[in-house]
Amino acid sequence: MTKRVRRGMAVIAAMLLIMLDISSAYAAPEADDKEPDMDAGGAVLIEKDTGIVLLSKNAHQKLPMASTTKIMTALVVIENCSLGETVEVASKAYGVEGSSMYLKAGEKISVEDLLYGLMLLSGNDAAVALAIHTAGSVEAFAALMNKRAESIGARNTHFVTPNGLHDAEHYTTAYDLALIAAEAMKNEAFRTIVASTYHKSSTGSLVRYMKNKNKILWEYEGGCGVKTGYTKAAGKCLVFAAERNGMSLIGVVLRCQTMFPTAKAMLDYGFGLYSVQKVISAGDVIVRTRVLKGTKTSLAAAAKDDIMIPVKKGERACIKTEIMLDEGLSAPVELGQEIGTLKVFVNDKLAAQTSIVACESIAPLEYGHYLKKLLGMWAA
């Protein structure tokens, strides 16, 4: 079905052009426009749901990312396996160099426990075991990782390994890695794992006690993820996330010697200067559209979901909307039926979108209705 487009400047009541004066419920540093020092080869801070960049440094420079690779590994595994599946550890996973959960060849352990070992202990052996279980080989699994990265829009990323051990063709950018983390954080199982400070395994040949290496969970108010990384070639790397006052931020620092202090300073900057504001509410009537062959000819349509955007406190946000409706909509139409898409642009960049849904049901005209209309025309 074709679409027709309606573009509108941001003038829906007072929602789409906003002057903010918001106070935080959290004790936050005094808002300061000065960007924090970011001693990193690449860095970025985004708002999770919109992907809007709040802070960046060399955000599109290709760099190795060490074990932050495992964010994509975990996402691909979760999307392709059940957490309760049993993995028989392949011989290729035994004795993998670097950080490890010390798996034994032939050991039987659940996908879930391996994921905790992957993300809390940064087990390189867990990454290989999961890759082979999921795709049959490390190479096939890397192909899945690259395909998923492309679907997310991480176009300057290429995966070779599931664990991030150095390879010249294994790289990403701070921006791409933030997009990948934002996508992963949409997954409930992933969020639960990376927000866990401790985990005790319940499967495998021995009980493993795991502690998360991500200090953001321990030391930053609202910290909720996601992954540390280090190799000699990549240096210290960190992908981090925190939530405050309904706003979720995700940051990345690559090749950063002071990764935890830098991450905290970046989060302080984001929470201190920005606040998320609702510009569209679920159920808001967005447009009326024509319906063919129905008992009614006009249909009210509404936004399916809330749309929230981050706006710098004390500044205006220039927001535009684009409405794309199905062309030639005909009855029957069901309440809640998706009939188009609403896109919201901030400073001419797509920030968010939601479906447009029917606010009511419209039945098709029956033969009797057509006859009544025809008789009415003759009577006239």
Side-chain angles (χ1 to χ4, degrees), residues 358-370:
C359 292
E360 60 181 322
S361 297
I362 295 181
L365 282 172
E366 303 293 343
Y367 174 76
H369 289 99
Y370 283 110

Side-chain angles (χ1 to χ4, degrees), residues 12 72 82 104 134 140 292 314 359:
I12 299 180
M72 179 61 89
S82 170
K104 300 176 182 178
T134 302
L292 303 175
C359 292

Side-chain angles (χ1 to χ4, degrees), residues 14-37:
M15 292 187 299
L16 298 183
L17 187 58
I18 310 167
M19 174 68 80
L20 296 178
D21 183 15
I22 307 297
S23 59
S24 174
Y26 287 89
E30 183 178 350
D32 186 351
D33 279 337
K34 183 181 178 181
E35 295 186 357
D37 291 332

Side-chain angles (χ1 to χ4, degrees), residues 291-299 330-333 360-370 373:
V291 178
L292 303 175
K293 302 177 182 179
T295 54
K296 293 183 178 181
T297 59
S298 179
L299 171 70
S330 298
V333 176
E360 60 181 322
S361 297
I362 295 181
L365 282 172
E366 303 293 343
Y367 174 76
H369 289 99
Y370 283 110
K373 288 178 68 176

Side-chain angles (χ1 to χ4, degrees), residues 261-281:
T262 298
K264 294 174 187 177
M266 291 170 66
L267 288 170
D268 284 346
Y269 175 88
F271 288 121
L273 265 70
Y274 288 85
S275 176
V276 288
Q277 293 297 300
K278 185 184 292 185
V279 295
I280 297 291
S281 295

Side-chain angles (χ1 to χ4, degrees), residues 17-214:
L17 187 58
I18 310 167
M19 174 68 80
L20 296 178
D21 183 15
I22 307 297
S23 59
S24 174
Y26 287 89
E30 183 178 350
D32 186 351
D33 279 337
K34 183 181 178 181
E35 295 186 357
D37 291 332
M38 293 178 286
D39 180 23
V44 75
L45 183 70
I46 68 170
E47 194 277 324
K48 177 177 74 71
D49 296 322
T50 63
I52 290 176
V53 175
L54 311 184
L55 191 61
S56 69
K57 175 186 177 182
N58 300 331
H60 299 287
Q61 182 175 335
K62 293 178 182 178
L63 293 167
M65 64 289 210
S67 285
T68 60
T69 295
K70 292 165 185 166
I71 295 169
M72 179 61 89
T73 301
L75 178 61
V76 171
V77 169
I78 290 168
E79 291 179 340
N80 287 275
C81 301
S82 170
L83 296 184
E85 288 179 26
T86 298
V87 177
E88 184 172 341
V89 177
S91 58
K92 288 185 178 180
Y94 173 72
V96 177
E97 65 177 292
S99 55
S100 179
M101 63 182 296
Y102 301 101
L103 297 170
K104 300 176 182 178
E107 179 178 358
K108 294 182 179 180
I109 186 169
S110 71
V111 166
E112 183 175 22
D113 279 336
L114 283 172
L115 285 168
Y116 275 98
L118 178 79
M119 302 306 285
L120 273 63
L121 297 178
S122 200
N124 291 335
D125 51 353
V128 174
L130 286 165
I132 293 173
H133 174 78
T134 302
S137 70
V138 166
E139 294 76 17
F141 188 80
L144 292 179
M145 297 171 78
N146 288 319
K147 184 177 180 181
R148 191 67 175 95
E150 183 179 355
S151 74
I152 293 169
R155 297 181 179 86
N156 292 308
T157 294
H158 187 258
F159 294 103
V160 177
T161 75
N163 48 33
L165 289 174
H166 185 63
D167 186 290
E169 295 303 313
H170 188 93
Y171 56 81
T172 191
T173 68
Y175 177 73
D176 278 10
L177 195 50
L179 292 183
I180 291 167
E183 182 71 12
M185 290 294 278
K186 294 177 184 177
N187 185 286
E188 183 178 358
F190 181 92
R191 287 197 312 273
T192 297
I193 291 168
V194 299
S196 299
T197 50
Y198 293 101
H199 178 72
K200 177 184 176 183
S201 65
S202 58
T203 62
S205 61
L206 55 92
V207 176
R208 293 175 170 90
Y209 296 89
M210 310 177 197
K211 180 179 178 180
N212 203 316
K213 296 180 178 181
N214 182 6

